[in-house]
Amino acid sequence: MTPPLWICSRIDIIAVTRDINNNSWGKLIRFKDRDGIEHSEIVDIADIVANPDAVRHRLVNSGVTVSLEKNARDKLAQYLNEVDPPKKVRVTSKIGWQGTAFVLPDETLGKSDEVFLFKSDNYTSKFNVKGSLEDWKLHIAKRILGNSVPEFCIACAFAAPLLTPCGLDGGGFHLLGDSSSGKTTSLCLAASVCGGGDHGYIQSWRSTDNAVEGIALNHNDCLLCLDEINLATCKTVNESAYMLANGQGKARADRYGNTKSRKEWKLFLLSNGEVSIANKLKEEGKKMMAGQAVRIIDIDSDMQCGFGVYNSVPDGLKSNEFSDELKAVSSQYYGVALREFISLFAENIDGYVGEIHKNIAEFCKKHCEQDASGQVKRVCARFGLVAAAGELAIKFKILPWPEHTAWDAAAILFKKWTQQRGGTDTLELQTALKTLTEFIQRYGSSRFKILGGNYIQETMSNPAGYKWEFDDHWVYMIERNVFDNEICHSVNPNILKSKIKINNWWLLNAQGKFMETKSIPGRGNIRGIFVDPQKWEDTDLNSTL
């Protein structure tokens, strides 16, 4: 009788694995190392067949004891290849929704006929849990009640997993404010919804320099918190902000020159810094495109109450002491609120999606002017999503807040955004109006020929038009080609001219009508754009820009 052949220490084959596209087939195995510590690993079938020695090397490196006999080597490869348990598992390297299931590194939430397993090389999970939901409610959610910015930031964390089910684009908000005003604390509060741990949940803007795609994939369908934009270069911010909001990585080619599939994600960004994203880009002469400005929205986080981001602080505490206290509890209680929210949401996805869309529409109807630009309406809808998400978390009894708390916080900050922006026109129109005022300030004395009776200033390089005294101040006629090319840029000149008239900046003639022509010695009646700077100097520019 042939004695039994010892092959290796015990290895259980738990399931057959494959990826979302039914490729990369493998085996999920489980074993104990020499210290008795249990391991679970996935071994690719292609490696078992084509490179069994490498598979053995990997197993030994992980603590499996193997026989050195050649026959035993062959039998190990045969065992791993041929034993097919009935259980099958989908493997994904991306956090987030897979149909009706939500995949986290250590568990899958929701309902699904499939079993999912997260696997990503060199990944350190940030979706950790510490403390109970009741602990988190008591020490964090209740503690910040009455403070609009922290309330809003916490609601942002619940908005993130709603993007994919609701068919909404990724994007987010950038908190702008002075140092030590509570911006980072607000990120800590939002992060506590999702996770934490030794390395924390919050990422640094500087870390996005070379790893933006990996960071994005590891926060797919979740909140991404990026701290201190001033630590990043202009180039990093420009590329990362667009890529994160757009949801697509860079196009790359394989070794044969064929285009690889781009990495894709959808996330909700919450960022902060002492400068806006637009001003950060200006450091190297770049401009923020309108599409970027409505995807990642700058918010002035100072509530003008003397406490930075806070409307008020507890009696006996200074704002920095309150921040320190909140940071401390955020490192003690975290991660459970997100899991509870997703689990409850997954019980009736279709019903809650309809509720979210209805609440967003109601928010926009109440807080956005009907004739506002499309850009402003998109931003309002983003605030509306945060409001709806927060209210749903209140409904689920995850947030121990009165109804309408999240709604009111979002409404306050949306109003603040429209005020700091200067109105509800398109960003391009806003920029063109600002360019007009700056153009007159910069070139009023150097590029406009002086008119006076029959007198006209003769010599001037690169003239932009004419100016003359009216009611003890200068008024200006801008040549149409200068107006079109140097002021309008991407704005239709007729739209900008109409806006100048609406703002009452256009010069009136003797009959009280808008001046359309001016008699210029030697040229006759000339059409142009006639502006009276006294009109915008007498008004609050932010109310008209």
Side-chain angles (χ1 to χ4, degrees):
M1 181 177 179
T2 304
L5 177 67
W6 183 78
I7 299 172
C8 64
S9 54
R10 177 167 178 158
I11 299 175
D12 292 308
I13 301 178
I14 307 301
V16 176
T17 65
R18 70 275 197 232
D19 67 16
I20 302 302
N21 299 315
N22 259 43
N23 294 318
S24 301
W25 288 78
K27 301 289 179 70
L28 174 63
I29 62 173
R30 186 173 298 154
F31 56 86
K32 292 183 177 180
D33 63 23
R34 294 169 187 257
D35 286 335
I37 306 299
E38 189 170 87
H39 295 243
S40 292
E41 295 189 14
I42 295 174
V43 181
D44 291 339
I45 295 175
D47 289 339
I48 296 170
V49 173
N51 201 358
D53 286 342
V55 173
R56 281 167 49 84
H57 181 273
R58 175 181 161 190
L59 293 175
V60 170
N61 196 51
S62 296
V64 175
T65 306
V66 301
S67 171
L68 294 178
E69 292 189 21
K70 184 181 184 310
N71 192 27
R73 294 184 181 191
D74 294 339
K75 291 296 183 182
L76 175 57
Q78 184 179 0
Y79 168 69
L80 294 173
N81 181 50
E82 294 181 2
V83 173
D84 275 354
K87 185 177 180 179
K88 289 185 177 179
V89 171
R90 291 280 182 195
V91 179
T92 178
S93 60
K94 191 162 69 172
I95 301 290
W97 291 103
Q98 298 288 348
T100 56
F102 194 96
V103 179
L104 287 171
D106 60 339
E107 72 170 322
T108 299
L109 306 172
K111 302 174 183 178
S112 176
D113 295 333
E114 297 265 21
V115 178
F116 290 93
L117 179 66
F118 176 81
K119 179 179 179 291
S120 181
D121 295 334
N122 301 317
Y123 174 74
T124 301
S125 178
K126 295 182 177 296
F127 293 89
N128 302 307
V129 174
K130 186 176 181 181
S132 68
L133 181 60
E134 293 306 315
D135 289 333
W136 182 83
K137 288 182 184 180
L138 177 64
H139 296 286
I140 295 178
K142 284 185 178 179
R143 191 68 170 149
I144 57 89
L145 191 59
N147 291 287
S148 302
V149 172
E151 289 169 351
F152 181 81
C153 290
I154 284 178
C156 285
F158 295 111
L162 301 180
L163 293 172
T164 293
C166 293
L168 301 173
D169 292 331
F173 297 90
H174 175 74
L175 302 181
L176 174 65
D178 295 334
S179 176
S180 302
S181 62
K183 304 183 306 298
T184 297
T185 303
S186 297
L187 260 65
C188 290
L189 296 169
S192 73
V193 174
C194 307
D198 293 340
H199 300 285
Y201 185 87
I202 298 174
Q203 303 279 315
S204 168
W205 259 106
R206 187 166 51 187
S207 68
T208 65
D209 194 7
N210 298 312
V212 61
E213 294 186 26
I215 290 173
L217 286 172
N218 292 336
H219 293 81
N220 181 57
D221 289 326
C222 293
L223 180 72
L224 171 60
C225 296
L226 291 180
D227 192 28
E228 294 297 348
I229 197 172
N230 56 298
L231 297 178
T233 64
C234 172
K235 181 176 181 292
T236 295
V237 172
N238 186 41
E239 293 180 355
S240 299
Y242 180 79
M243 194 180 297
L244 290 170
N246 194 45
Q248 277 195 334
K250 295 179 180 178
R252 293 181 173 87
D254 60 22
R255 60 180 178 173
Y256 303 108
N258 300 316
T259 302
K260 291 182 178 180
S261 297
R262 294 190 183 199
K263 295 177 180 178
E264 295 183 349
W265 56 80
K266 189 175 285 189
L267 56 78
F268 204 104
L269 176 66
L270 195 57
S271 164
N272 73 15
E274 294 175 41
V275 297
S276 67
I277 293 179
N279 286 338
K280 184 68 179 180
L281 298 183
K282 285 181 181 178
E283 290 178 6
E284 292 188 8
K286 298 182 181 295
K287 290 184 178 181
M288 190 172 190
M289 298 296 101
Q292 289 175 299
V294 297
R295 283 287 188 93
I296 304 178
I297 303 153
D298 286 328
I299 302 177
D300 180 2
S301 62
D302 192 329
M303 295 306 295
Q304 305 298 319
C305 297
F307 306 110
V309 303
Y310 308 111
N311 299 70
S312 62
V313 298
D315 291 341
L317 289 181
K318 297 178 181 178
S319 57
N320 63 319
E321 294 171 337
F322 189 36
S323 288
D324 290 342
E325 178 186 303
L326 292 173
K327 284 180 182 177
V329 293
S330 295
S331 66
Q332 296 176 40
Y333 312 106
Y334 51 77
V336 64
L338 176 69
R339 296 175 188 240
E340 182 71 12
F341 181 81
I342 292 172
S343 297
L344 293 172
F345 178 80
E347 292 180 2
N348 183 19
I349 292 177
D350 291 341
Y352 291 131
V353 165
E355 184 176 325
I356 293 296
H357 281 298
K358 178 183 176 182
N359 287 339
I360 293 173
E362 288 181 358
F363 184 91
C364 292
K365 183 178 181 180
K366 183 172 183 179
H367 297 289
C368 192
E369 297 175 8
Q370 192 171 4
D371 61 349
S373 71
Q375 293 169 4
V376 172
K377 289 178 179 178
R378 285 176 61 190
V379 170
C380 187
R382 180 76 57 186
F383 279 93
L385 169 62
V386 176
E391 292 303 314
L392 187 59
I394 293 171
K395 179 178 180 178
F396 288 162
K397 300 188 184 306
I398 296 172
L399 285 175
W401 300 345
E403 287 186 22
H404 304 299
T405 299
W407 179 289
D408 291 343
I412 289 169
L413 293 185
F414 176 66
K415 182 179 180 180
K416 191 174 178 65
W417 175 80
T418 58
Q419 290 172 342
Q420 77 186 48
R421 184 179 185 272
T424 57
D425 294 314
T426 66
L427 181 62
E428 295 90 344
L429 183 54
Q430 298 261 334
T431 302
L433 287 168
K434 186 176 181 181
T435 300
L436 170 63
T437 64
E438 292 175 346
F439 188 88
I440 298 298
Q441 291 170 359
R442 183 175 183 181
Y443 298 116
S445 60
S446 62
R447 292 184 59 189
F448 288 85
K449 292 183 178 182
I450 299 174
L451 293 177
N454 291 322
Y455 168 78
I456 180 171
Q457 184 177 347
E458 292 296 337
T459 58
M460 178 175 288
S461 61
N462 192 24
Y466 302 89
K467 68 178 181 179
W468 60 95
E469 284 194 85
F470 176 78
D471 285 348
D472 297 323
H473 66 276
W474 293 106
V475 292
Y476 297 81
M477 188 204 90
I478 306 170
E479 297 275 14
R480 286 186 293 176
N481 64 314
V482 174
F483 182 78
D484 292 354
N485 298 325
E486 298 188 45
I487 295 173
C488 291
H489 297 298
S490 59
V491 173
N492 184 313
N494 290 328
I495 294 177
L496 181 55
K497 285 188 282 188
S498 296
K499 185 63 178 179
I500 294 170
K501 293 176 179 178
I502 291 171
N503 286 354
N504 199 31
W505 294 358
W506 199 284
L507 187 63
L508 302 179
N509 60 23
Q511 290 74 41
K513 296 181 179 180
F514 293 121
M515 183 177 287
E516 300 292 345
T517 63
K518 177 70 174 176
S519 178
I520 307 296
R523 293 185 64 185
N525 285 335
I526 302 299
R527 288 187 174 274
I529 291 78
F530 299 85
V531 294
D532 184 353
Q534 189 72 47
K535 299 291 183 65
W536 63 67
E537 291 172 1
D538 288 343
T539 59
D540 177 9
L541 274 181
N542 282 335
S543 68
T544 51
L545 284 181

